[in-house]
Amino acid sequence: MEKKVSAILLAAGGSTRMGLDADGKRINKLLEPLCGMNAIERCVLRFAALADELVIAASEQNLEAAQKAALLSSVPVTIVPGGERRQDSVLNGLKAAKHEIAAIHDCARCLVTEEVIAKAIASAGEYGSGVPAINVRDTLRRTGTGETVERDGLVRMQTPQCFDREKLIEAYAQAGSVTDDAAIWQGVYGQVRLTAGSPVNEKLTERDDVGFFKRLIRGESEMRIGIGEDTHRLVEGRRLILGGVDIPYRLGLLGHSDADALIHAVMDAMLGAAAMGDIGRHFPDKDPAYEGISSLILLEKVNEMLKKNGFAVSNIDAVVIAQEPKLAPFIDEMRKKTADALGVGIDRIGIKATTPEHTGPEGNSECITVRAVACIRG
Ligand code: MG
């Protein structure tokens, strides 16, 4: 029988080399948005595909982000407190884990590939240990003396470092202060088995890395486009809500939810891009749970569904076709509410309004129609 795997994801580091943001606050590298998802979320998605459970060791400041990321997992997740040192966090994770193999991974290495993970796990299953490493390609030079360091025989160690979990816990009992689990293992059982690492499995360390990581993510992911359209009838006695904004007008949109045609079109565009059906399928208008509900809540749900499938919204563009009322004063607030629901910057949300010159049903104020496109990556 295949041995089961507990992935221990470390999200407790101090980001000491990231520097400060514009307000003088220390940048937390694990919470930086990297094309729609932060590093913890990326690691959760990657490891949920290959492990039987996840244990996230999170510092207090990363606790909320870890809880949010856990929602993306398709396997059980336990969150444990991070420790003072890396090895303390690992030990907390090892003790909370249940399975035979422990795959210990730094969340800062959020671009790790499934291939790297699978090889290290397979090696641990067969030999007790498996640690990804890559050859050193650059010339190494000591800055103080100017001396060139011979790179032959040197490798760069990566994670996930994978081990027989119980044997590693025993080794921990005998360990002093060390930099990684391979060193702890080696102290008791001899050298670890090296497996193939990858040059993209870099560690997010310095502030300049953020842009580099984003370029790598964009490069490796596929761009997809979806279209959505929605029309709602204008009637008396209803509120007019577009983009989550309550707009004063003598008529409002008729519908089961808040009838926010703009958000409905956006959701259909997102679902269409992911080939995941449409809102009618996910939120049937017969379901009393959705009666009068704010469509922004549904938009958040659609966004989570896409994330679960590995997609992140890149940008949205929408056009509202309405004769009345004047929408220009409300556009920025609509963009802000839509961006907030999606967890992206307002610069990724385009919303325009156009009047149909008194032609057609929109021009006669019988209805409002919205067309939207969504570009997603995954
Ligand atoms: Mg609708």
Side-chain angles (χ1 to χ4, degrees), residues 35-307:
C35 305
M37 275 189 280
N38 65 36
I40 303 174
E41 291 168 331
R42 289 185 176 278
C43 287
V44 163
L45 276 175
R46 260 309 187 258
F47 279 86
L50 291 161
D52 300 284
E53 68 160 345
L54 309 182
V55 178
I56 309 176
S59 57
E60 217 173 284
Q61 54 168 346
N62 291 342
L63 184 63
E64 210 183 304
Q67 286 163 341
K68 225 177 128 206
L71 300 175
L72 302 176
S73 176
S74 49
V75 296
V77 183
T78 309
I79 298 175
V80 297
E84 186 90 339
R85 301 168 301 174
R86 184 184 189 281
Q87 67 196 82
D88 303 322
S89 301
V90 173
L91 193 55
N92 288 348
L94 284 173
K95 287 179 177 163
K98 291 185 208 58
H99 297 307
E100 270 172 284
I101 307 283
I104 302 155
H105 187 69
D106 292 320
C107 281
R109 292 190 194 272
C110 60
L111 303 184
V112 63
T113 62
E114 290 199 359
E115 204 180 346
V116 167
I117 301 169
K119 281 183 178 157
I121 288 173
S123 171
E126 194 164 350
Y127 306 107
S129 68
V131 177
I134 56 171
N135 290 324
V136 177
R137 298 166 179 192
D138 308 307
T139 299
L140 299 177
R141 185 185 172 91
R142 232 178 267 289
T143 48
T145 60
E147 169 203 359
T148 299
V149 179
E150 188 55 56
R151 74 180 161 206
D152 281 354
L154 288 182
V155 291
R156 294 168 59 200
M157 305 290 275
Q158 300 185 333
T159 66
Q161 302 198 347
C162 301
F163 303 95
D164 178 294
R165 186 177 64 88
E166 283 184 2
K167 284 178 81 175
L168 186 62
I169 292 177
E170 281 169 35
Y172 257 87
Q174 305 170 37
S177 191
V178 290
T179 58
D180 68 359
D181 306 290
I184 288 180
W185 180 272
Q186 182 168 333
V188 180
Y189 306 112
Q191 290 214 19
V192 296
R193 300 279 301 206
L194 297 185
T195 58
S198 162
V200 302
N201 188 16
E202 276 294 336
K203 195 170 181 177
L204 181 58
T205 307
E206 295 176 12
R207 192 197 292 201
D208 286 350
D209 295 344
V210 173
F212 171 66
F213 268 53
K214 284 183 180 171
R215 283 197 296 281
L216 280 176
I217 292 165
R218 289 197 192 111
E220 76 172 15
S221 69
E222 180 194 11
M223 187 186 88
R224 302 170 67 137
I225 289 175
I227 183 170
E229 173 162 344
D230 196 26
T231 299
H232 281 258
R233 203 178 276 281
L234 279 166
V235 295
E236 283 177 3
R238 289 271 303 181
R239 289 150 72 201
L240 173 59
I241 295 170
L242 285 171
V245 179
D246 215 325
I247 297 161
Y249 185 48
R250 63 185 170 89
L251 304 173
L253 293 174
L254 182 65
H256 181 67
S257 63
D258 64 358
D260 189 332
L262 171 54
I263 299 299
H264 294 182
V266 167
M267 289 193 284
D268 264 354
M270 289 167 61
L271 289 166
M276 286 169 61
D278 60 20
I279 50 172
R281 187 174 112 194
H282 296 287
F283 312 111
D285 62 7
K286 306 271 178 298
D287 191 333
Y290 304 121
E291 195 175 338
I293 194 171
S294 164
S295 296
L296 288 174
I297 293 170
L298 303 181
L299 179 61
E300 282 176 21
K301 286 187 196 233
V302 166
N303 199 32
E304 287 304 318
M305 282 158 46
L306 258 67
K307 278 192 179 183

